Every structure is written in structure tokens, then in C-alpha cells.
Amino acid sequence: DAVAVLPAPQNLSVQSTNMKHVLTWSPVVVPEEIIHYSVEYQGEYESLYMSHIWIPSSWCSPTAGPECDITDDITATVPYNLRVRAVLGSQTSAWSTLKQPFNQNSTILTPPGMEVTQDGFHLVIKLEDLGPQFEYFVAYWRKESGAEEHVKMVMNGGVPVHLETMEPGSAYCVKAQTFVKAIGRHSAFSQAECVKVQGETLPL
Amino acid sequence: QFGPCRVEGVVLQKLWEAFRAVKDIVQAQDNITGVRLLRKEVLQNVSEAESCYLIHALLKFYLDTVFRNYRRKAAEFRILRSLSTLANNFIVIVSKLQLSQENKMFSTWESARKRFLLFQRAFKQLDREAAVTKAFGEVDILLTWMEKFQQL
């Protein structure tokens, strides 16, 4: 016999880290039945100008859930309303709407992963590729008192970038942070990583 | 940077992607090929000072009139997602354009307003649905013009 009334999903929330946004909810459980879900969204424009309009999520209409990657649906830095309902065959639950609209400017930005290497006397960094929305500020300096800190902006992660030609026998340190233009925010700096150059300082 | 107005947090590339995804569908619906709403007299030789007023007026018009009236077609053609991306980013831009009223240079504002009225008049001379379709199809002209004021 059909479920009397399909319960609506509960406990909606969004986890967002490094501009990847995931909507989660508590699963709806009906013994011996497989429940699917439909996710829809509405940006500030829709809620202001056409509040009855909801747009099916790119990847989760339907989905086996109970989570949905809404990253591709959030395409502007405005508040987005999000809602989910359960689906069992032709039966659907009521919609559950996220209590607070989600804005991508609340995403958590973590320091980027980085690989600092030396290629002969060349100081090279390879940054974690976090996607097209990310730029990177790299700071590097020679490990000695009073050394000047240099800064380089790197537009893409995932590719080795030459920072400096190093002096033999010296040590150099590097740290990096991300910047996301769409939300005008940057992460904290990573821990500094240092490398020591082989070989002795040549006497002039 | 539109003259005195600075806008951050909008990635024009995303807007281009959204429009390119629907350009063929939208422009194919425009049967009045001999008319252009965003013509040279509206967008050419716009001074930096004028640009803030003009972009504000144009984007507000697109939000209030063009996108709103194109919604049913967008649903029909299943392009609501692209319309949503364009509209929500236009909202970000409009919300960040601080039109300083106090030192509004009247002549600049007046010049920008004349340009906008040229566009609006041409829009009103067409049948409503045809005008909305044509204006939506001209978003690439608008984005191209906006790119000139972009500072990387």
C-alpha cells in the first residue's frame, strides 16, 4: 500500500569549501522503498521578480541523495534559495526549503596545497589546482635576517612556476594564499616551506 | 571600472558562458533583422563619466523589462538557467554601482540618459515580444561593451 504521505526531507544545510557547494539533508526513510529527491534553486532575481519560479538543479533533479553538489547552480554572488522534496514513484513530498538563503561569499577558503622543489638552482612551486575561479599569491624570501619578501601572482594551479634563481648554500622559504575574484576574498597563508640549496657559496 | 563607479565580484567570463549557451536559440527567434536596439549612437564614444549612468540604466531595464518578459520563453526553451545567471549577475552589478547623487554632473547624466532613451525608444517601436527577444539577443553587444571597461 502506498505511503500515506511522503514525509518531506529535513535538516537542510549547505557545506561550502573553496567554492564547492554541497547541499545535504536527512534522508527520508520508507521501509523497502528507494526514495529519490528533487532539488531546485532560486537566485535573488527570481525571488525578487518572479518568486514562483524555481529552477531544477543541474545534477539533482532527480538524485538518489541525500546530498547535492549545487556548485554549477550558484553562478552569482547573490543569496540563493534552495529546496528539496522526496519522490517515490509518482508520489512527491512537500518541499523543504533551506532556512537561510545561501550566498557563495560565505564559502570557507583554505590555504592552497603546494609543492616547493628545486630544479638545480631554480626555486619552483606547484600549487593545488582549485579551479578556474582561483588565483594565488605566492610570497617567497631568502632565509636570512632582513631578507626582503617577494610576491608573485599565479593565475592557475597545477602547473610548476619558477620563482627565483637561488644562491648556492642559501635557504629559501615560500608560502601561498588563494584569492577568489567573484567574492573578493582570500584564504589565510599556508605554512611556509623552506628548501636549502646544495653547494658552497662561491668566493668572488 | 565604469568611470566613477567600481564593480567587483562579477566574472564576465561566466556571463559570456551563460549567453553563448543560449545565443543561437534566442537570436534565431529574432525575425526583425534590420533593426538594432543597442546601436552605435547608444554605445559608441561613451565617456568614462557617462558609463556609470548608462550601464545602470541599461541593466535596470534588462532586469525590469527584458528578462522579466522573456521568462515564459526561457522556460519553453529550457534556458532558465542561463537567464538566471545573467540576471543575478546584473543584479550584483546594479547593486554595486553607487551613483553618487551629490556630485552628479548633470551634463554627463543628461548625455547618458539621452543615449538610454534612444535605446528605449527603439525598443518601444517594436512589438513587445519581438522587442524583448531582440534585446535578449543583443546581450552579446552589451557584454562586449562592458568588457571595454574591465580592468584585470
Side-chain angles (χ1 to χ4, degrees), chain B residues 35-46:
Chain B
V35 171
R36 179 164 148 169
L37 304 176
L38 289 170
R39 58 182 198 268
K40 277 188 303 187
E41 294 80 354
V42 177
L43 294 180
Q44 211 167 50
N45 305 322
V46 174

Side-chain angles (χ1 to χ4, degrees), chain A residues 41 44-46 49 56 75 182, chain B residues 63-64 81 84-85 88-89:
Chain A
Y41 68 93
E44 184 174 8
Y45 181 75
E46 287 76 29
Y49 285 80
T75 55
Chain B
L63 290 169
D64 296 342
R81 198 162 288 142
S84 178
T85 296
N88 281 291
N89 277 285

Side-chain angles (χ1 to χ4, degrees), chain A residues 114-125:
Chain A
M114 62 179 191
E115 230 178 276
V116 178
T117 56
Q118 47 184 296
D119 177 5
F121 291 112
H122 297 296
L123 179 61
V124 177
I125 187 172

